Amino acid sequence: MYATRSLRMFRPTARLMAPVPKEEQAAHTVSQRLRRLRKIPAELWPLGIVVAFAVGAAGYSSLRHFLTDKTIRLKRQNRAADNHTEHH
């Protein structure tokens, strides 16, 4: 008897029965990950340095702004009024 169309749906395909290919991102230790840095093209290093500097400068300036500006509301104020309106 031939397999019907409904039974053919549950057969694994040839692609799924093949072994899983080894991934390039399968580095597990720090030393293996550091060895992968050598594969980064030399043209991308300046771009990475500029982006890292920009992210660091943005983080520094934001943190400095939050710590020095006393007019910024970092916490909710007047919680008693907020609780009073929620109950009604």
Side-chain angles (χ1 to χ4, degrees), residues 55-68:
V55 168
Y60 170 76
S61 63
S62 296
L63 185 65
R64 184 171 174 264
H65 181 69
F66 289 145
L67 294 177
T68 58

Side-chain angles (χ1 to χ4, degrees), residues 13-88:
T13 61
R15 182 176 52 91
L16 292 178
M17 292 187 326
V20 178
K22 185 170 180 160
E23 296 180 13
E24 291 187 19
Q25 299 293 331
H28 297 290
T29 63
V30 175
S31 61
Q32 288 174 340
R33 290 181 189 272
L34 288 176
R35 273 188 248 132
R36 290 196 133 323
L37 288 177
R38 293 183 189 159
K39 293 186 178 182
I40 296 175
E43 298 87 16
L44 294 181
W45 281 104
L47 178 65
I49 291 170
V50 169
V51 169
F53 178 78
V55 168
Y60 170 76
S61 63
S62 296
L63 185 65
R64 184 171 174 264
H65 181 69
F66 289 145
L67 294 177
T68 58
D69 192 0
K70 301 300 178 193
T71 61
I72 295 177
R73 276 183 43 185
L74 296 176
K75 300 177 192 167
R76 291 187 68 175
Q77 296 171 349
N78 201 1
R79 286 187 179 263
D82 289 343
N83 289 337
H84 180 69
T85 58
E86 287 178 4
H87 291 299
H88 291 301

Side-chain angles (χ1 to χ4, degrees), residues 3-23:
T4 61
R5 184 169 290 198
S6 61
L7 289 177
R8 257 185 268 150
M9 286 191 318
F10 296 107
R11 275 193 331 200
T13 61
R15 182 176 52 91
L16 292 178
M17 292 187 326
V20 178
K22 185 170 180 160
E23 296 180 13

